[in-house]
Structures are given as structure tokens and as C-alpha cells.
Amino acid sequence: TAIEYLKKALELSPDNIQILNNLGATHLAVFNTKEAEKYYDRAYQLDSDLAITNYNIGIFNHVLKRDIEAIPFLEKAYENDPSVSYLE
């Protein structure tokens, strides 16, 4: 599965934020929110200013109907990179 391949990739590059975000998104897609949050949190710890990570955490919170918690992450994503297409 995609999760298995991403986990293998993460073993080779444990601080790869792109892989961590992809693992978070893949787990969220199958409603495994605990695992999604774990990977998003790890990506955020590595770079709390990265727009895609903030966006993903914002969407994660929105999916869980925690919109008030989502707003600061979405705002930070836009502030750090207003040109990204996923925010337009």
C-alpha cells in the first residue's frame, strides 16, 4: 500500500518533511486520524513555518470539525507562502 511505501521511504530519510506530510495525508484519507496527527506533528516540529505543513494541519483540524483550531494554521500557511495554489 501507499502507507507501506511511504514508511519505507521515511526509514531512509527520517526527517523528510514531504514524506511526513504525505504520510499524514494518506492516513487522513483513510480516517486514521491518530496516525495522521502523529506525522503532521513531526513535520511541524521539523519546520513550523513551512506553508504545506501548516495547511495540512489546518485541513486536518477542519476535517475533525475543529475549525477554530484550523484557522491559525491556515493563516500561517498563507502568510508564509501566499502564492501557493492550494490556498487560492
Side-chain angles (χ1 to χ4, degrees):
T1 67
I3 290 173
E4 291 168 357
Y5 286 112
L6 287 166
K7 283 184 177 181
K8 287 180 184 178
L10 190 62
E11 287 176 16
L12 299 172
S13 185
D15 291 336
N16 186 309
I17 295 173
Q18 184 176 359
I19 296 170
L20 291 166
N21 273 303
N22 287 339
L23 273 163
T26 305
H27 278 289
L28 185 58
V30 295
F31 304 104
N32 188 347
T33 56
K34 186 173 183 171
E35 286 295 301
E37 186 169 31
K38 177 178 86 172
Y39 290 111
Y40 287 146
D41 284 347
R42 191 158 154 212
Y44 188 81
Q45 289 172 0
L46 291 169
D47 186 351
S48 62
D49 290 325
L50 191 63
I52 187 65
T53 300
N54 280 282
Y55 175 80
N56 285 341
I57 294 171
I59 295 301
F60 171 82
N61 281 302
H62 172 69
V63 167
L64 296 180
K65 301 188 185 325
R66 300 188 309 208
D67 291 333
I68 298 300
E69 293 176 38
I71 292 169
F73 290 101
L74 295 172
E75 288 177 338
K76 188 172 183 180
Y78 182 75
E79 288 170 11
N80 291 336
D81 191 354
S83 68
V84 290
S85 62
Y86 53 83
L87 294 173
E88 293 176 357

